[in-house]
Amino acid sequence: MKIGAVLGFNLIDYPGKIAAVAFTPGCNYLCPHCHAAPLLANAKDIGDAGFLQYLETVKEWVTGVVICGGEPTLQPDLIPFMEKIRSLSLAVKLDTNGSNPALLARILARDLADYVAMDVKGPESLWSATAGVPGQSAAMLESMKLVVRFPIYEFRTTVAPVLRANGEISFLTVPEMAAAARLIIETTGSPDHKYYVQKFIPRKDGLLDKRFEAFPETPIQLLQDIHKEVLKHLPNTQVRG
Ligand code: SF4
């Protein structure tokens, strides 16, 4: 499987685990605020053999593996890769943009992921702008229904600037984030989900849309206001810095 970069171990990306992280290159979305896709676009494929060998040597103290990207479900050999990690008795966390419910269903059926984190790119009315590509609603809604069937899962939204229909760019608002929270409830039939409201962090070394590089990180006051409002809908919501 193609891997663009790795972290040998990490205590943040997989809560409760010491996790190795594999970043897969390529994404089918064009989120304007994305910094991962431009970085990974220039990354050389280092393949999975060395990563799997590394896991063999550290499996006594590394307790999990995070597969993220880019978008991992674009990798045609993701399932065999996950099976190999499983054979080492390591926990697996998959990060996804929710664009491939068919593959998520196969991963679920084979019990290949312990934890799935899915991006919810704001309210559905803005998905074309926030994901950078139109026509993703059906897949993302289907993925939301599947994600809640994994042993552990989370939904998360980066409170990023959005390119509006009138050409202006402004941060997701409190009402828009409340709409995203309500959509999660309507789609899954429950408010009992871990939901993370994440800070947008600008990078001068490359976002997909250069205009977004001029923006500051998400103002703390906005994050607090969103948190307060979203908690009314999804009581297990936290702000992630
Ligand atoms: S932020 Fe968007 S474009 Fe970037 S990797 Fe995630 S889904 Fe893909």
Side-chain angles (χ1 to χ4, degrees), residues 40 43 55 60 86 107 128 136 143 177 202 219 227 234:
L40 289 167
L55 292 179
E60 301 306 322
R86 268 283 190 254
I107 290 167
S128 292
Q136 294 299 315
S143 288
M177 289 296 290
H227 189 210
L234 297 169

Side-chain angles (χ1 to χ4, degrees), residues 27-31 33-37 69-71 97 119 121 131 208:
C27 188
N28 50 343
Y29 286 3
L30 295 167
C31 309
H33 65 275
C34 178
H35 55 80
E71 175 49 35
N97 61 19
D119 299 334
K121 298 202 175 283
L208 262 180

Side-chain angles (χ1 to χ4, degrees), residues 90-111:
L90 292 168
V92 179
K93 174 172 177 273
L94 177 71
D95 291 2
T96 180
N97 61 19
S99 60
N100 195 340
L103 191 63
L104 265 187
R106 287 172 59 203
I107 290 167
L108 180 68
R110 294 176 191 216
D111 189 25

Side-chain angles (χ1 to χ4, degrees), residues 149-220:
R149 295 170 57 194
F150 283 87
I152 307 174
Y153 63 91
E154 68 179 50
F155 295 113
R156 60 208 189 167
T157 300
T158 300
V159 183
V162 181
L163 178 60
R164 308 287 172 175
N166 63 4
E168 290 179 3
I169 302 174
S170 58
F171 280 102
L172 284 167
T173 64
V174 174
E176 286 166 350
M177 289 296 290
R182 287 195 300 272
L183 177 70
I184 292 171
I185 297 169
E186 285 160 18
T187 306
T188 62
S190 166
D192 299 323
H193 312 297
K194 259 195 296 185
Y195 183 49
Y196 290 97
V197 172
Q198 302 183 149
K199 189 195 287 186
F200 161 76
I201 299 175
R203 305 216 177 189
K204 300 298 174 203
D205 54 353
L207 299 180
L208 262 180
D209 187 324
K210 299 287 174 207
R211 290 171 293 180
F212 285 58
E213 292 176 6
F215 273 77
E217 62 182 38
T218 317
I220 294 291

